[in-house]
Amino acid sequence: MAKQRTVFRCASCGREEPRWLGRCPECGGWNTFTQTGSPASRTDGERASPRNLKSMPLASVEASTGARFDAGVEEMNRVLGGGIMKGASVLIGGEPGIGKSTLMLQIASLVKSSGTVLYVSGEESASQIKLRSDRLGLPSGAVEILCEVDLESVMTVLNSVKPVVAIVDSVQTLIAGELGPVPGTVNQLKACCSEIVGWGRSHSAGIFLVAHVTKEGTISGPKVIEHMVDTVLYFDQASSDLRILRATKNRFGPVDEIGLFTMGEKGLLQVRDPSSLFMVQREGALPPGVAVAPVYEGTRVLLVEIQALVVPAKGAISRVFSDRIDAGRVARVAAVLEKHVGLRFSDQDVYVNVAGGIRLSEVGIDLPLALAIYSARSGLPVPVGTAVAGEISLAGEIRPIPHVKKRVRAASEMGFRNFVGPVGLHPNEDAVDGFKRVATIGKSIELVFGGRGGARQAPTPAAAGPQAKATT
Ligand code: TYD
Ligand code: MG
């Protein structure tokens, strides 16, 4: 049997310590620790006394497939993997002002379910929510509003209203009374999240928890409750009005789908045809430093323009400035170009950007990134109508990537007649025709830039290798 431990709990933020402290390391409060009997078990998900629990054969368990609601917003359905799962919880993280409340209100009003939708707001008044709803022209028939921050009151209303979808905006404003009066602490967040997620699971209701991502760290962010929910979505701003909804964890669907919205007068509008959203329209030849990549995102291929600028280093060491593509990856691709093509970067600063501001992380962008950097460094433009995709190994080989067929087709539909990709075939992929295959970074440059390309400088000795420092 577990021995009862003595714990000291901070009265203002709920932090627990095995010994008394004069100052709380969490909230900075003085003399706030008092002795309590046992740790707050609900935050640790600990069970009460062991009961006569029995396991059951997996074969006898009924799978509840098809138990989904149509969210009423197609891009949300896509990201969730076919709609809102009954009994499942979704965490929506994003910076303040990105549009989380707008999206939640749109879903509350448009979700196709036969029951009540409860919108719990700890940040706005009922009349502010109504004003927004009217301005966006949303139907408000099945939506119930509760402006409350006390967890116990919220639970009482959940039990009386029994909504089929419940939205909590934001979970950082909720207060579980026994953990002190300060909302947004790690313990408060975990306790409130676990209570509401548990309620949703036992009542087959779809739960949305909104959480702000804060840079200052004065309140805890969505990261601390990611493990407690079924799906984690992040809402991100690409360009001034473009918003991208991305799943980073999804127990009931894919994690590579993205939802695209534009924020305008009428709230968030879904982007139906994103094919040219991340391209720059130009007449004639391309300027040096740009390359087009067909990027695979979930079930869609987006054509994306990667832009690079290479200028003499301003400091003693060269640096990489890139926040849409991981700066470490840019440094690696530049190092491969230095080693295998002989372009020196150790005295150059490299800037990388992506048109439309989308963040890219998939494997296939290595090659277009390399060509954009090469083009920027050499001053030679990539020929018009060329799209490229491929992963690059440190040895300078072009490695196979998935979904080449879809990429070739999407590029060709957008008028890119010249597709350059890897020689090898990705496992589980049928042979694809209609594109030029390259085995190494050197060959890719020869093929794309023709006689003009190739090594322009003698390869630098290993001692003078790149010292690129990743900065974002
Ligand atoms: P909001 O949904 O309140 O953001 P969050 O809940 O993530 O903090 O969105 C607020 C921003 O969106 C605000 O700057 C105004 C803008 N906005 C529009 O541009 N159009 C609209 O129709 C709405 C509702 C908001
Ligand atoms: Mg909000």
Side-chain angles (χ1 to χ4, degrees):
M1 243 190 78
K3 207 175 117 205
Q4 175 139 356
R5 276 199 295 136
T6 299
V7 285
F8 292 85
R9 191 176 298 152
C10 171
S12 66
C13 74
R15 185 183 171 106
E16 284 165 357
E17 289 287 333
R19 63 203 158 84
W20 188 85
L21 294 177
R23 185 168 192 237
C24 176
E26 178 105 20
C27 67
W30 291 96
N31 266 336
T32 49
F33 277 95
T34 48
Q35 187 175 344
T36 60
S38 63
S41 58
R42 57 200 292 182
T43 59
D44 310 336
E46 243 176 56
R47 296 270 179 263
S49 64
R51 284 171 284 143
N52 286 338
L53 291 171
K54 266 174 69 185
S55 58
M56 59 173 126
L58 181 59
S60 73
V61 180
E62 216 176 301
S64 53
T65 52
R68 287 185 189 261
F69 299 117
D70 178 346
V73 174
E74 208 34 59
E75 293 293 287
M76 177 58 100
N77 285 338
R78 170 199 298 281
V79 176
L80 291 178
I84 303 168
M85 189 87 169
K86 289 178 188 167
S89 48
V90 180
L91 173 68
I92 302 212
E95 291 189 7
I98 203 88
K100 301 181 293 299
S101 303
T102 309
L103 180 64
M104 286 296 100
L105 188 60
Q106 287 181 249
I107 285 173
S109 312
L110 300 171
V111 63
K112 295 187 178 62
S113 71
S114 49
T116 307
V117 179
L118 180 68
Y119 187 110
V120 181
S121 179
E123 298 186 350
E124 285 157 289
S125 69
S127 72
Q128 283 173 322
I129 296 169
K130 175 70 174 149
L131 262 175
R132 179 182 288 184
S133 167
D134 287 349
R135 199 166 56 74
L136 301 184
L138 292 170
S140 48
V143 185
E144 292 275 321
I145 300 284
L146 172 69
C147 296
E148 179 58 70
V149 293
D150 177 51
L151 178 67
E152 214 177 310
S153 313
V154 171
M155 297 315 294
T156 310
V157 175
L158 280 174
N159 283 315
S160 64
V161 174
K162 297 215 166 44
V164 288
V165 173
I167 296 165
V168 178
D169 185 3
S170 68
V171 67
Q172 285 139 326
T173 58
L174 286 190
I175 301 171
E178 73 271 31
L179 295 179
V182 181
T185 63
V186 174
N187 283 355
Q188 285 280 12
L189 211 53
K190 284 184 178 174
C192 298
C193 174
S194 116
E195 197 88 357
I196 291 169
V197 166
W199 187 89
R201 205 163 283 155
S202 57
H203 291 78
S204 290
I207 301 287
F208 285 95
L209 300 173
V210 173
H212 299 285
V213 172
T214 54
K215 291 209 173 82
E216 301 79 31
T218 44
I219 54 168
S220 309
K223 279 266 173 270
V224 300
I225 46 172
E226 279 186 350
H227 64 289
M228 304 170 83
V229 296
D230 297 308
T231 303
V232 177
L233 307 181
Y234 277 95
F235 212 24
D236 191 18
Q237 180 162 7
S239 55
S240 63
D241 60 348
L242 188 67
R243 304 284 185 277
I244 300 177
L245 189 65
R246 209 184 270 279
T248 59
K249 163 183 171 177
N250 199 353
R251 287 196 180 133
F252 307 115
V255 285
D256 53 359
E257 283 288 1
I258 58 169
L260 295 165
F261 299 89
T262 50
M263 176 66 97
E265 287 285 294
K266 287 274 161 211
L268 291 157
L269 296 178
Q270 307 180 63
V271 178
R272 302 272 178 209
D273 179 19
S275 41
S276 60
L277 211 54
F278 306 105
M279 298 287 295
V280 179
Q281 300 306 328
R282 293 192 190 86
E283 297 282 320
L286 296 181
V290 306
V292 173
V295 177
Y296 193 78
E297 292 281 356
T299 48
R300 289 188 287 209
V301 177
L302 306 173
L303 275 114
V304 177
E305 180 178 299
I306 298 176
Q307 305 164 349
L309 177 68
V310 179
V311 290
K314 285 172 203 64
I317 54 165
S318 68
R319 303 215 291 172
V320 171
F321 298 88
S322 173
D323 61 354
R324 300 291 153 182
I325 297 176
D326 176 54
R329 184 175 190 167
V330 175
R332 172 171 60 76
V333 166
V336 170
L337 283 173
E338 175 146 352
K339 174 75 182 169
H340 299 284
V341 185
L343 275 189
R344 213 170 75 198
F345 288 97
S346 45
D347 54 359
Q348 304 285 316
D349 284 344
V350 180
Y351 295 79
V352 170
N353 198 13
V354 178
I358 188 172
R359 272 179 225 282
L360 299 179
S361 58
E362 74 126 309
V363 288
I365 60 157
D366 278 358
L367 185 55
L369 174 63
L371 295 193
I373 296 174
Y374 178 90
S375 165
R377 180 78 171 100
S378 64
L380 300 170
V382 173
V384 173
T386 305
V388 287
E391 187 184 352
I392 302 179
S393 75
L394 289 183
E397 305 133 320
I398 310 301
R399 291 183 30 79
I401 49 168
H403 310 295
V404 172
K405 197 172 188 166
K406 282 189 178 169
R407 296 179 205 249
V408 174
R409 197 185 324 127
S412 140
E413 278 167 8
M414 287 284 292
F416 291 83
R417 297 277 163 257
N418 188 20
F419 188 98
V420 180
V423 166
L425 210 56
H426 198 261
N428 307 328
E429 186 143 56
D430 298 331
V432 195
D433 281 335
F435 77 99
K436 293 177 183 137
R437 296 173 170 81
V438 282
T440 64
I441 179 65
K443 286 270 179 278
S444 319
I445 285 170
E446 245 177 72
L447 182 73
V448 171
F449 298 95
R452 308 166 306 160
R456 296 174 77 239
Q457 299 172 320
T460 40
Q467 301 170 310
K469 182 168 171 280
T471 319
T472 51

